[in-house]
Amino acid sequence: MANFISIFRIFIMFAAVYLIYAHVGNVQAYVWALILTILAFSLDGVDGWVARKFNEVSKFGALLDIMGDRIVENTYWVLFAVMGWLNILFPLIALTRGFITDTIRSAAMEKGLTPFGMQVNPICKWITGSKFMRISYAVAKVLAFVLIVAAKIPNIAHAEFLWTFAYWTAVAAIVFCVIRGLPVMIEAKRVIEG
């Protein structure tokens, strides 16, 4: 069930992206896209809860969760750049960080290590795996994506203020993205050669 939820949220995100991209400026489409965006990100927490609750925790499930996160996150970054809402550097940074960290984590998985279990240095471990950092990063991304979609709903009240707030949460999310990727890169040599 947890794995189904992980995959299902990808389809929800694709529906939201379609509504934004194919119905530019349509208020109803953008409102539905906002609702679907909120649902897609809500399900990210639900899949983990279901996995723990029903004892479905597995390495495959962890990989599926990371893959789902990457697909959803990167699709939104690309969409926002394609729509001209954010600079192309946002998706380029997110994609590059994802390719690097996922390649390193794949090498770690070959050695029997989990994506977060590969970290040995306590500071690196805290940055990548602590509940505080994972939740902070997730909140920054969710806020950024939800606020960007909301700010672009035609004729929405306080659109300029909402957009400014959305933009700076997007900047915070990208900074978090880089910061949380650095420890994986720092410990890469030990994982790959060790």
Side-chain angles (χ1 to χ4, degrees):
M1 185 66 170
N3 292 344
F4 172 79
I5 293 168
S6 295
I7 293 167
F8 182 64
R9 67 187 282 260
I10 296 169
F11 289 99
I12 291 172
M13 175 274 308
F14 280 135
V17 167
Y18 169 78
L19 288 169
I20 292 169
Y21 188 75
H23 299 91
V24 176
N26 181 297
V27 174
Q28 290 81 12
Y30 279 33
V31 169
W32 275 108
L34 177 62
I35 291 166
L36 291 174
T37 299
I38 292 167
L39 181 59
F41 280 102
S42 298
L43 288 175
D44 184 33
V46 172
D47 63 0
W49 180 83
V50 167
R52 288 185 298 279
K53 176 80 174 166
F54 297 101
N55 200 25
E56 297 179 3
V57 177
S58 67
K59 282 185 183 180
F60 176 74
L63 286 175
L64 194 60
D65 184 51
I66 290 170
M67 180 192 72
D69 289 347
R70 292 286 189 270
I71 292 169
V72 171
E73 174 184 343
N74 290 326
T75 301
Y76 276 105
W77 287 126
V78 169
L79 171 71
F80 297 153
V82 166
M83 298 297 290
W85 299 349
L86 290 176
N87 187 290
I88 191 67
L89 288 176
F90 283 84
L92 291 178
I93 290 168
L95 286 164
T96 301
R97 182 268 197 181
F99 290 141
I100 293 169
T101 58
D102 291 348
T103 299
I104 295 165
R105 285 177 171 159
S106 292
M109 291 286 287
E110 285 181 8
K111 296 184 180 208
L113 301 170
T114 63
F116 294 114
M118 64 171 273
Q119 303 296 156
V120 173
N121 178 294
I123 295 170
C124 291
K125 193 174 233 174
W126 184 81
I127 291 170
T128 59
S130 73
K131 196 171 196 172
F132 172 78
M133 288 298 284
R134 290 185 3 231
I135 289 172
S136 297
Y137 180 42
V139 168
K141 283 190 299 189
V142 171
L143 271 177
F145 298 152
V146 167
L147 290 174
I148 287 170
V149 174
K152 293 301 181 174
I153 296 173
N155 304 319
I156 191 160
H158 311 291
E160 190 174 318
F161 170 77
L162 192 56
W163 171 250
T164 301
F165 190 55
Y167 177 80
W168 287 107
T169 57
V171 170
I174 280 294
V175 169
F176 258 114
C177 177
V178 171
I179 288 172
R180 290 196 68 239
L182 288 175
V184 177
M185 293 178 234
I186 290 168
E187 295 201 70
K189 185 175 181 181
R190 180 193 53 77
V191 170
I192 294 168
E193 293 178 356

